[in-house]
Amino acid sequence: MLEAANATVRIPYICKLIYEAYRVPVFWLDTGGSVRLGLPASFECRAPLQGNGSLLDEVTAYASGRQQADRDDDVSALPLLYTTGFLEQFILLRLAEGEPGTDGTVIIGPVLSAPITADNVADLMRDYKLPPSLQESWLQYYRSLPVLSRMRWYHAALLLHTLVTGEELSVTDLLLAAPVQQQTEHPGDGPDLDLSYRRENEWLHHDPMLEREMFRYISSGDKEGLLGSQAAFSEESFGQLSKKSRLRSKKNLAISSITLATRAAIEGGLFWEIAYTLSDFHIQHIEELNGIPAVERAQTAALCDFADSVRDNRRSKQSRTSALCQNYIFNHLYEEITLGRLAEIAGMNASYLSHLFKKETGLAVTDYIQRERIEEAKRLMELPGITLSDIATRLHFNDQSYFTKVFKKYTGLTPRQYRKDAGKLY
């Protein structure tokens, strides 16, 4: 740890370095919890929702509990990572006890790992039963917080530890130091007893080969085989994933199967962004359902959707290079996409890639990108509140007239005509 003679000078310097490097709030608290140094000077944490004390009090209380546990376990002081129930993240490092003015705790945060949207705030308001009138003030608070990716956050913790102690620390060391949740006690009905009960009544879980077979059908895009395989599962072969709610258990099983189906579809060649988006859509739908039959139907529909998507994708019979380029185009449709960037992604000469792509898809790269942007424009036109000029701008068409020209080339209609005809269908 720091020598007491220069710690009083170095701690403020280290705090300033961290603040300047990451532009995140940094605090140095004494052993009593009072703030010795706060950067920036004008930053104020949000007020606590209940009880006494500030947000920093909540964080330091957590740190005190962890530090005592570390002492009891004879664990050396390492940075602590703490996330509040409201998604604020903190790094805490207890300083070595020494001369007055050299101990206490350095706290970095609050920060977010991703931006918080208005919908996120609304969900938090509901989860914590807070009045909707607070939603706007919370949204403004979240928008005031810096956002750091998870890895940058870990590196900030490593940097703080090394600057304070002079010792090296890896990300693995940091994460292994995180508190491990104690295993839940199962008084009288633990997994061993449940295993015994299922064996006695011959309510055994399904054979793993049945599961592999079912997801193999998804990977090959065979919906008929999938449905036949799924029919081989008996009700008793499924685990019970919630003891308090049969509906919750069914939902958990459905979500688990969709997660596995997502991986199977990707292995079958489906663009991963499409696969993950399908997964999100079906899981969100299942979460909204209120009956077991509805959940079972939604689960079957989701698995069939994955199989159909893989089948449609496999019909195009293209090389891995073309599929890789198409996946990149799909994911980056709202950005500028150049042949040079695609060649870099594919790891080949741009001229050769252009020839290969046109041979396999029937379209030049620029024409393919235009067609995909028009398909995306058609999807956007079916959504309320988006103007045609907004769509043209978002999809990188130079102006409205050029957008109209390209749109008519691929659809035979102007954007206004298409939107008007689409509106008649609803």
Side-chain angles (χ1 to χ4, degrees), residues 307-345:
D308 285 341
S309 297
V310 171
R311 179 203 61 206
D312 293 342
N313 186 65
R314 291 166 75 94
R315 282 177 176 170
S316 59
K317 291 185 180 180
Q318 295 161 10
S319 68
R320 182 182 179 279
T321 298
S322 291
L324 187 66
C325 290
Q326 289 178 342
N327 190 79
Y328 181 87
I329 291 167
F330 180 87
N331 291 343
H332 298 268
L333 209 54
Y334 289 83
E335 305 169 24
E336 287 289 352
I337 304 172
T338 65
L339 176 61
R341 178 56 180 155
L342 291 175
E344 186 179 324
I345 294 294

Side-chain angles (χ1 to χ4, degrees), residues 185-203:
E185 294 293 332
H186 300 277
D189 62 345
D192 290 339
L193 182 59
D194 187 56
L195 174 61
S196 174
Y197 185 75
R198 293 183 69 91
R199 292 163 68 197
E200 180 183 359
N201 291 276
E202 297 185 5
W203 291 349

Side-chain angles (χ1 to χ4, degrees), residues 227-300:
L227 292 173
S229 176
Q230 189 184 33
F233 285 80
S234 64
E235 179 67 23
E236 293 80 10
S237 71
F238 295 112
Q240 185 178 352
L241 301 188
S242 173
K243 289 194 172 185
K244 295 183 179 181
S245 168
R246 188 71 175 172
L247 175 61
R248 184 67 260 170
S249 182
K250 282 290 185 183
K251 287 186 177 183
N252 290 345
L253 284 166
I255 291 169
S256 299
S257 68
I258 289 172
T259 301
L260 293 172
T262 304
R263 294 340 186 243
I266 293 172
E267 289 177 5
L270 189 64
F271 296 167
W272 61 79
E273 191 61 31
I274 294 177
Y276 289 135
T277 302
L278 275 178
S279 173
D280 292 347
F281 170 79
H282 286 294
I283 290 174
Q284 290 165 8
H285 173 61
I286 284 171
E287 283 291 355
E288 298 299 320
L289 300 177
N290 294 316
I292 290 175
V295 171
E296 291 176 338
R297 288 193 297 270
Q299 177 184 354
T300 299

